[in-house]
Amino acid sequence: YVKCAKCGAPIRIRADRRHDLVRDYDTGEFTLNKEIMDGSCFSLIYASIRFDASYRIVEQEVRGGEFIDWKTYQMLSAPPEPEA
């Protein structure tokens, strides 16, 4: 999950192991380079994530946004509370 640095919109990212990951055959690691477009302000966010051979994140970097966890994503995605 990432949050846009420009408008603060939360974005869910999906990656397909078969098509999106690039394998380094020397180390057994995988790399994901993803361009993400925010649906609110249409800003581009660039993410680069490196995984070990067991698909655990080793290193991650994002430009134009920030990584957020699932709870933060849910909180930012929730509809606003109705006013009383």
Side-chain angles (χ1 to χ4, degrees), residues 54 68 79:
S54 299
I68 57 174

Side-chain angles (χ1 to χ4, degrees), residues 15 17-18 49 51 54 56:
R17 290 181 182 182
R18 293 170 290 161
I49 306 170
F51 300 89
S54 299
R56 291 182 298 244

Side-chain angles (χ1 to χ4, degrees), residues 1-82:
Y1 304 96
V2 296
K3 181 173 83 169
C4 177
K6 190 172 180 182
C7 70
I11 306 162
R12 180 178 173 207
I13 302 168
R14 292 187 47 99
D16 186 326
R17 290 181 182 182
R18 293 170 290 161
H19 303 290
D20 294 333
L21 300 180
V22 177
R23 183 179 203 130
D24 181 342
Y25 289 99
D26 293 333
T27 64
E29 295 180 337
F30 299 91
T31 303
L32 170 68
N33 293 308
K34 194 91 167 166
E35 290 183 353
I36 306 150
M37 180 171 286
D38 173 20
S40 298
C41 69
F42 303 104
S43 294
L44 271 177
I45 302 166
Y46 302 95
S48 179
I49 306 170
R50 192 165 53 97
F51 300 89
D52 65 11
S54 299
Y55 300 102
R56 291 182 298 244
I57 295 174
V58 175
E59 183 180 7
Q60 59 186 17
E61 177 185 348
V62 66
R63 291 188 332 253
E66 66 179 277
F67 289 106
I68 57 174
D69 62 12
W70 182 76
K71 279 190 160 189
T72 304
Y73 172 79
Q74 279 193 318
M75 183 183 68
L76 294 172
S77 299
E81 294 286 325

